[in-house]
Structures are given as structure tokens and as C-alpha cells.
Amino acid sequence: QVQLVESGGGLVQAGGSLRLACQASGSDFIVNTMGWYRQAPGKQRELVGSITISGSTNYADSVKGRFTITRDNAKNTMNLQMNSLKPEDTAVYYCHSRVAIRGANYLYWGQGTQVTVSS
């Protein structure tokens, strides 16, 4: 069993920055691809970006150039640096991970952290 815990959400003015963190914990696991998703009220959950175990990243067009995903494989952590935030970035942000446990792959979600950007 693996747990993903997000932290770092909050309220920020438009143009500001926030940094989210995701910590994976458990035993006898390997974290493969990690990603951030978000869900705004009344909208479907959407991919913000992802990062492979080798560090290759992929971003949604809406956040390219503003958001940066990094990870520390030794600590099983992933960060999302969000700059130049816009009101439309307001959402609950979820950490997601593909994890290998004893040769089998599993998908895990964090509980989510609220990001609110005021205009």
C-alpha cells in the first residue's frame, strides 16, 4: 500500500506563485511516472503535467512556461512550482502516481489540495 500526500496549497493573488509538494510513502515500492491533475468546480479533472522516473516532463498547454514539475527519486517526492498564477488556475490539485509493487503496477491518488487564485 502506498500513500500520496499533497501539501502547499492556499490562496494567492493573480500573478503570484505557489509550490505544491507530493510525498509518496509506503514500503517495498518503486514510483514510476508521477503527475499533477486539477479539478475546478463543475469541470472534469484534467492533467496539469507529469514527470517520468528519468525526469522527462509533459505539460498541458494552459500551464506551459508557467508551471514546472520536479521530483526527487531518493525521497519519493514531486513538486509543482506554479508561477504567474491566473484565476483560472483555481482548482483542487491532485497528485497521481504509477507505482510498482512486487512487479505489479498500481495507480494512486492523493487527497488533493486547494489552490485559489484571486483576481
Side-chain angles (χ1 to χ4, degrees), residues 30-34 51-56 71-73 76:
I30 297 172
V31 179
N32 292 314
T33 300
M34 302 184 79
I51 184 166
T52 66
I53 195 170
S54 62
S56 296
R71 64 186 288 173
D72 184 330
N73 291 333
N76 289 319

Side-chain angles (χ1 to χ4, degrees), residues 8-20 38-41 67 82 84-93 113-119:
L11 173 64
V12 65
Q13 288 189 332
S17 298
L18 277 177
R19 186 177 181 86
L20 305 185
R38 66 185 181 187
Q39 187 166 19
F67 290 11
M82 303 184 291
S84 302
L85 283 161
K86 305 175 181 180
E88 51 264 44
D89 294 319
T90 295
V92 177
Y93 283 70
T113 185
Q114 177 70 47
V115 171
T116 302
V117 184
S118 63
S119 57

